Every structure is written in C-alpha cells, then in structure tokens.
Amino acid sequence: MRLCYRSVPLLLALSAPSLHAQDDWGEDVWAEPGQQEIRLHGFVELAAGGRIDNDPVLADDDLSLAEFRSRLELETYADTVRLSAKLDLYADGVEPGAHLDIRESLADISLADNADLRLGHQVLTWGTGDLLFLNDLFAKDWQSFFSGRDDEYLKAPSTSLKLSLYGQKASLDLVWTPELTPDRFINGERFSYFSAGAGQQVAAPENKIDPTEPKQRLANGELAARLYGRRDLGSGSATEWALYAYRGYWKQPNAINADGEPYFSRLNSLGASLRGNLARGIAHAELAWYQGQDHQGNDPRLPNDQLRLLLGYEQELAPRLTLGLQYYLERTLDYDALSENDSGSVYRVDEHRQLWTMRLSYRAMQDRLSLSWFSFYSDTDQDAYHRPSLSYKFNDNLNLTLGANLFSGAQPHSFFGQFDQADNVYARLRFSY
C-alpha cells in the first residue's frame, strides 16, 4: 500500500513513541474504567544498505536499503476474543515513496476447549527447515531477505482463516486463504535477475516482472493442512511428527503462457516431517512431493513435478556456540520428458539439485552480543550465498545490527549466481518501546 507524501509525517508522528510518554507504553494507556486495556508496543528503525558491486543493468545500483520504519503493535481482549494488529509504516529511498505494510490484523476466537479460530491478516509458518521451506508454502518476501531487513520480514502476511483443533494424540491446523498471496519475489526493481528468454541479466523498468494472477473466485483460493503430534520417548526426549497437504499455486510466477507472459500455475503438494533428539543435538527430516499442472512433464513453459528432501542437525558445540547443518535435495521427476521437449535448453535445471546450509551462532556479553554466519552452498549449481551478521543490544530498548549479503556463482542463470553483482552490506539501528 502506498501513501501520499503529505500524510507521511503525521502518520510517522502518530506511530513513533513520545520520549515523555515512553514509560507508559505497554501499560493501560487508553483504557476507561471497566474496559479492557489496549497494550501498545513497537519500534522505530533506521536502516541503510550499500552495494559492494556494480550492477550495470540497474538504473540506480548504489543502495540496496534506505528506510525509516515505524512499527505500532496493539493488542486487546473483548471477552474471549483477542484482537491484535502490527502496522509498519516506512519511507523507502530505494523504491521511492512511503508505504504501509500491515503485518498483522487479526482476531483470535476460542470456539471450545479444543478448538481455536484465527481470522484476518497474519503471518503463517510451519515445517522444520532453517531458512529452507518445503511444506511451508505460505508467502515469503525475498526482496526484504536479500536487502538486509530483519529476518522477520522473510515471512510475508496473508489474509487467511486458520482453524486449529487440538487432540490428545494429534492436532490439526486448517488454513484457507481466499485469494492467492504470492511471494514478494525478485521483480527487477530492487535487484536484477537472469531472464532465460533474453539470455542475460535484466531489470526494471523495461523488464519488470508483472505476472498474471488467478481470477478472484472461491475456487482459486489456497488450502493448507497440517496434522501433527508429539510422542514422548522417556528421559525427557520426544519426537515431533507432522503430515502436510496444500492445494493452491506456485508462489512465484515461474510459468509462461501462450503470449509469453509469466503467471502463477497450479500446485498441489503432500509432505511429512520428523524432529527429535539425536546424540547431543536435535535432528530433523522433511519430505515434500510437488505436483503441478504439467502432469506429463513435457511442457518446458510449466514447472515440472518435484520431490524435495531436507535433512538437518543442530548441536551446541560449546556454551553459547551452536552449529546447524542441513542437506537439501530437489529432484525433477519428469526430467527425461522435459529434456526431450525443451529444444536442448542450456538453462535446463539439473535433474538433482543439491544444497547445503550451515548456521554458526555465538552469544557473548550476557547475550548482549550475537554473532551469526549462515551459508547456502550448492555443489550442483556451483553457487553460494553467505549471510554474516552481528547484533549488539545496548539496553532493553536500543539494538544495532550489522550484516552482509554475499552471493557468488559460476553460472549467471543459477539461483544464487544471478545475484553475483548484488552483494551488499547493511546496518539497522532499532529503538523498541
């Protein structure tokens, strides 16, 4: 949502904390006698990111991030209903203008002792992966992720209805999103991308991706389900299991219609996951089967069916030092049919794409200092993506984060290789109230 410039100062002033009133934030500020209190929280943040490399196809390639952001969080109760809102108002120097991002606007309703309903704009997530998503097919924000915003912004909100039913041995989550909520994908504005059609790196405005979305009708909504439970194994250990199902669309416009325009094609998926103690750490495994529109797998304009596998393990190596490793496999199921019908494309995906990740985290100075290094590396694509970061908490209110997004790749068309000239460093200073 974009706002007019003249309205920005007023809205920023309303959503920013008053220095004189900050002791009252989070208390019963607006409540009248006999009314439920409204709890207020939030933050203001200055963020800046600069590019290390020169991207010749971007019109302005100096900054990857330049924004002032103000978050206002409100929560209250009306009988058994919880109402919550998280509103982000930010002025962005990379994509000019001011923007309102409603991160949350929902109602939690308790239907019974074992049934809850959540209605409204909300961030949804499930699955076992660390920055890798197989059965979590809810919307992501890759522009925020690659530009240095907080990791929270990788998950984009959607307007959905979530029904949760709780049992002694298993529980069930059902999510209905009436209208497709796609990823906030790389569209050529903040970052350039590789176009297989053009055979080169391209960017907006000429090559901004503007896909066709499904028509707004009930049959085009998204349905997601998770059946999950926990089995105690004694001695304080347990195994968590889950089964998943999804009916909707690919979250990125990776299909091409007869006119050569990108669109979101149909996707159904089934999956399962396990998480439990192993040796001195925690292991997890997840599997997903993707079935798209191309049942024969012989149409190169449509994404092929896939089988995805994730294995992970995390362990504390020393006090406050933690290592996490993951292995990810993506298998194209109808690879022979695709090979016979794509005219020998040099941009054809590998039949088996492998990806390794590593997260190394360390906390010091009574947890005021946090160091993290997360790396993606694909031996099949021969590309990599590194995310080092440092966070220092001056006090309960003020926090500074420094970090970088570093890409490399031997081929310009691979997933991370196309961002080889998008390396950037960033800083964020946040005051929370």
Side-chain angles (χ1 to χ4, degrees):
M1 179 181 295
R2 184 170 174 177
L3 306 175
C4 65
Y5 283 99
R6 285 188 296 181
S7 65
V8 174
L10 174 61
L11 289 171
L12 290 178
L14 290 173
S15 57
S18 162
L19 293 177
H20 299 290
Q22 60 182 288
D23 289 341
D24 292 331
W25 294 103
E27 302 299 330
D28 186 8
V29 180
W30 291 351
E32 297 292 337
Q35 291 184 331
Q36 294 289 341
E37 68 176 34
I38 298 176
R39 296 176 180 170
L40 300 178
H41 301 280
F43 62 79
V44 290
E45 184 179 83
L46 285 172
R51 297 176 184 274
I52 301 174
D53 298 323
N54 176 45
D55 189 335
V57 301
L58 273 179
D60 183 357
D61 65 342
D62 293 330
L63 297 174
S64 59
L65 187 65
E67 66 183 28
F68 172 76
R69 180 180 294 264
S70 181
R71 158 77 62 87
L72 180 63
E73 300 182 6
L74 304 97
E75 181 186 45
T76 190
Y77 289 83
D79 295 328
T80 59
V81 178
R82 171 181 171 268
L83 303 172
S84 175
K86 296 180 180 178
L87 311 174
D88 276 23
L89 181 64
Y90 64 98
D92 186 0
V94 178
E95 297 175 13
H99 308 268
L100 176 63
D101 187 6
I102 302 175
R103 303 289 302 173
E104 182 175 292
S105 177
L106 60 82
D108 281 324
I109 304 169
S110 178
L111 302 177
D113 290 341
N114 61 349
D116 291 333
L117 182 65
R118 172 169 287 188
L119 296 164
H121 210 56
Q122 54 191 292
V123 171
L124 296 157
T125 188
W126 57 41
T128 63
D130 184 4
L131 299 183
L132 290 175
F133 308 98
L134 283 73
N135 292 293
D136 178 347
L137 290 165
F138 305 113
K140 314 295 186 302
D141 185 346
W142 298 106
Q143 298 190 40
S144 292
F145 189 62
F146 290 157
S147 61
R149 289 182 178 133
D150 191 279
D151 287 353
E152 167 197 356
Y153 293 97
L154 172 59
K155 299 307 298 283
S158 60
T159 301
S160 304
L161 181 154
K162 179 182 179 183
L163 175 65
S164 298
L165 305 173
Y166 308 107
Q168 292 185 343
K169 294 185 177 181
S171 299
L172 177 65
D173 286 335
L174 297 171
V175 177
W176 176 49
T177 304
E179 184 178 338
L180 168 66
T181 304
D183 286 356
R184 298 174 182 180
F185 51 87
I186 303 300
N187 62 1
E189 291 185 322
R190 191 177 295 266
F191 298 99
S192 63
Y193 65 93
F194 184 84
S195 167
Q200 61 183 1
Q201 200 77 6
V202 298
E206 292 84 357
N207 292 287
K208 178 183 176 182
I209 299 176
D210 188 15
T212 302
E213 298 193 9
K215 294 181 179 178
Q216 296 182 11
R217 55 190 185 191
L218 290 178
N220 289 339
E222 300 177 79
L223 292 171
R226 176 181 66 158
L227 180 68
Y228 63 99
R230 174 189 173 97
R231 181 178 180 184
D232 293 326
L233 302 177
S235 304
S237 64
T239 297
E240 299 172 356
W241 59 268
L243 302 173
Y244 309 90
Y246 172 81
R247 181 183 183 277
Y249 294 85
W250 288 87
K251 292 296 185 170
Q252 303 212 14
N254 49 8
I256 304 295
N257 63 22
D259 297 325
E261 299 172 343
Y263 73 100
F264 301 91
S265 60
R266 278 284 184 186
L267 173 66
N268 299 322
S269 81
L270 296 172
S273 70
L274 286 173
R275 184 201 300 271
N277 301 88
L278 179 64
R280 296 168 52 195
I282 298 175
H284 62 89
E286 189 166 342
L287 185 70
W289 172 57
Y290 287 13
Q291 183 189 50
Q293 282 184 212
D294 186 13
H295 300 301
Q296 303 300 319
N298 55 7
D299 189 344
R301 299 174 302 173
L302 291 170
N304 210 298
D305 294 351
Q306 293 181 350
L307 188 66
R308 298 187 175 192
L309 170 69
L310 176 66
L311 302 173
Y313 183 73
E314 178 181 314
Q315 181 177 321
E316 188 176 64
L317 302 178
R320 297 182 295 280
L321 177 64
T322 303
L323 174 67
L325 300 171
Q326 296 182 116
Y327 168 75
Y328 169 79
L329 172 66
E330 185 177 293
R331 182 185 177 192
T332 299
L333 293 179
D334 298 308
Y335 191 79
D336 290 342
L338 176 64
S339 303
E340 293 171 0
N341 291 277
D342 66 356
S343 304
S345 173
V346 296
Y347 307 125
R348 183 192 311 145
V349 298
D350 291 328
E351 183 176 7
H352 298 94
R353 176 176 178 249
Q354 298 184 121
L355 185 67
W356 301 82
T357 76
M358 180 209 71
R359 180 188 288 277
L360 192 61
S361 306
Y362 180 68
R363 292 176 288 108
M365 303 175 67
Q366 299 178 324
D367 292 345
R368 285 189 298 162
L369 177 66
S370 298
L371 302 173
S372 174
W373 189 291
F374 195 102
S375 288
F376 299 82
Y377 169 70
S378 173
D379 54 335
T380 51
D381 284 358
Q382 296 183 304
D383 61 4
Y385 172 37
H386 307 287
R387 293 171 52 84
S389 67
L390 177 155
S391 180
Y392 182 76
K393 184 181 294 185
F394 294 96
N395 50 49
D396 289 341
N397 302 106
L398 193 61
N399 188 81
L400 174 66
T401 301
L402 305 174
N405 293 285
L406 307 172
F407 304 88
S408 64
Q411 304 175 95
H413 61 272
S414 67
F415 186 78
F416 295 124
Q418 64 182 315
F419 305 119
D420 192 26
Q421 295 174 318
D423 294 350
N424 61 82
V425 295
Y426 61 86
R428 301 193 306 266
L429 183 64
R430 175 179 293 192
F431 178 82
S432 303
Y433 56 89

